[in-house]
Amino acid sequence: MKPLIAKFLTSAADPKFFPAEGPPEFAFLGRSNVGKSSLINSLLDQKMAHVSSTPGRTRTINFIGLYTKPNQPYPEMLLVDLPGYGYAKLSKEISAEWPKFIEPYLQERETLALSIVLIDSNVPAQPSDRQLIDFFRSAGSDYLVVATKSDKLSGNKLRSALAALAAEHEIAPPLPYSAKTGAGRAELWHEIRSRLQK
């Protein structure tokens, strides 16, 4: 697959402002300090998502179109950056927003091909992550769990951490990813592209 050109399309905090459904969409979700923006920028090899030292700055659903040609009218796929959750100062406020536009996106968006749940490989299993995984499990939605910040753990410690997270969340071992080193980038693109064939 050729290198993709990323273009920011729109931000929305209301379903009526979502882009028209078209190409497959890949949604990224995670707790506010999980490194979601860094992972998206690493995956695209360019700065598209805003990285902040203050967790919880993403307050809208942000849509990024990926194209194979500069003048292509419609994107091949969309990457969708959703608001973070679980950060103490904002968790109640953001939780109140979920039914308004986040749940409708996750439950009703016909073109949502895969939800990518980001969890921190350096911290124990979190209840908020488990709630999100259970949400997708009960909905029968296709999801993939990716463990961020994997460069902070050595080989054996990383394997142990991934095994513990898999056991706690009752999932297959998460895909380790490091935005810093790029480890896991090819594997995540493989997972995304495999859904494009469906």
Side-chain angles (χ1 to χ4, degrees):
M1 193 168 179
K2 296 177 182 176
L4 293 165
I5 300 161
K7 296 179 185 177
F8 179 81
L9 300 180
T10 191
S11 294
D14 187 305
K16 66 185 177 187
F17 297 121
F18 293 167
E21 294 192 19
E25 298 180 12
F26 298 86
F28 292 79
L29 307 93
R31 287 185 299 114
S32 298
N33 54 353
V34 77
K36 179 163 52 70
S37 297
S38 296
L39 182 143
I40 291 171
N41 291 338
S42 163
L43 193 63
L44 296 174
D45 200 24
Q46 58 183 292
K47 188 172 181 179
M48 289 296 296
H50 180 73
V51 179
S52 172
S53 58
T54 306
R57 283 185 62 103
T58 303
R59 307 299 295 275
T60 55
I61 298 179
N62 300 318
F63 295 84
I64 300 166
L66 300 185
Y67 305 78
T68 52
K69 299 174 184 175
N71 57 352
Q72 190 176 331
Y74 301 107
E76 300 284 329
M77 68 181 100
L78 300 185
L79 298 190
V80 185
D81 182 7
L82 278 83
Y85 56 86
Y87 183 58
K89 289 182 181 178
L90 294 170
S91 58
K92 288 184 180 178
E93 195 173 334
I94 291 176
S95 295
E97 297 295 312
W98 271 71
K100 296 180 185 175
F101 69 105
I102 300 172
E103 280 184 22
Y105 174 80
L106 294 174
Q107 292 179 326
E108 300 167 15
R109 193 75 171 169
E110 294 287 338
T111 45
L112 178 56
L114 178 67
S115 295
I116 299 165
V117 179
L118 307 182
I119 60 177
D120 191 331
S121 61
N122 296 268
V123 300
Q126 300 293 305
S128 54
D129 293 334
R130 179 58 185 260
Q131 286 174 345
L132 185 60
I133 291 167
D134 287 345
F135 172 85
F136 289 121
R137 193 177 280 147
S138 63
S141 302
D142 193 10
Y143 69 94
L144 173 70
V145 180
V146 174
T148 62
K149 307 179 185 179
S150 64
D151 56 282
K152 294 186 177 182
L153 295 172
S154 63
N156 285 336
K157 286 184 178 178
L158 179 60
R159 279 188 288 274
S160 296
L162 295 177
L165 289 167
E168 287 285 335
H169 292 309
E170 299 178 341
I171 56 171
L175 171 66
Y177 195 106
S178 168
K180 190 173 182 179
T181 68
R185 185 173 183 266
E187 290 81 359
L188 183 50
W189 269 122
H190 174 76
E191 293 289 343
I192 290 171
R193 286 168 176 154
S194 70
R195 269 73 175 186
L196 291 175
Q197 315 304 320
K198 292 183 180 180

